[in-house]
Amino acid sequence: EIVMTQSPATLSVSPGERATLSCRASQSVSSNLAWYQQKPGQAPRLLIYGASTRATGIPARFSGSGSGTEFTLTISSLQSEDFAVYYCQQYNNWPPRITFGPGTKVDIK
Amino acid sequence: EVQLVESGGGLVKPGGSLRLSCAASGFTFSSYSMNWVRQAPGKGLEWVSSISSSSSYIYYADSVKGRFTISRDNAKNSLYLQMNSLRAEDTAVYYCARGAEAVAPFDYWGQGTLVTVSS
């Protein structure tokens, strides 16, 4: 099983600041990496797939980068609605053994 | 508008069974793979199972293999999860999610249905 780790566990950021979230895979997942945002009481929302492609309707302040085992989600200027938990997900295996990271909580500093 | 609506959750005793449903609308259901993902209270996301558009390919997480069965009815635009031999650790919110590509990523999610396994 491919194990996903995320750092930091919690990131305290002021509105308008930049946030950088990291995700690491225990083995290469190529670019088969997605990022999701989840707010309390809500379902996750797809932000980024293919490591760097924004999903439909996702603002340009969200960007993803990386390949292989190291990935980054950057939020260029945090808005109030961006405070949430962010999960990375790999979908590289075949047959699928999809795994998620433990999440990074972005809260208000 | 894509909509996924789960139902069938509730309280069940250990060893019991439950069948979850997910009603899909707003897209051509028969063209997409579908998935179940769960989230234990206060915890992260765990992939449970995937089914291809025509039900030809089915996959399970090791934690549920042999106890859960995923299925779909394309004529009814519905996805199902039959859960047997339930354990306390199966307690979670269960989400259905549409697969954007062969299996993942998951581009649309339902609101979830809570399954509680407790005596």
Side-chain angles (χ1 to χ4, degrees), chain A residues 9-28:
Chain A
T10 303
L11 185 61
S12 297
V13 186
S14 299
E17 288 188 340
R18 182 187 193 90
T20 303
L21 288 66
S22 295
C23 173
R24 176 177 290 179
S26 61
Q27 63 189 77
S28 176

Side-chain angles (χ1 to χ4, degrees), chain B residues 17-96:
Chain B
S17 298
L18 212 54
R19 189 195 197 207
L20 305 184
S21 299
C22 172
S25 61
F27 65 102
T28 304
F29 182 73
S30 59
S31 296
Y32 289 86
S33 65
M34 295 296 297
N35 308 272
W36 289 100
V37 176
R38 68 185 181 183
Q39 185 169 37
K43 303 297 185 183
L45 301 169
E46 180 187 15
W47 169 73
V48 172
S49 183
S50 298
I51 186 168
S52 63
S53 57
S54 61
S55 304
S56 298
Y57 302 101
I58 287 175
Y59 309 102
Y60 298 99
D62 290 343
S63 58
V64 307
K65 197 176 300 181
R67 300 186 300 122
F68 290 11
T69 302
I70 191 172
S71 63
R72 64 190 295 162
D73 185 335
N74 287 344
K76 295 183 177 179
N77 291 341
S78 292
L79 174 72
Y80 306 101
L81 186 68
Q82 177 68 43
M83 304 186 295
N84 298 331
S85 303
L86 282 161
R87 307 166 180 167
E89 54 265 36
D90 296 318
T91 294
V93 173
Y94 285 74
Y95 296 100
C96 68

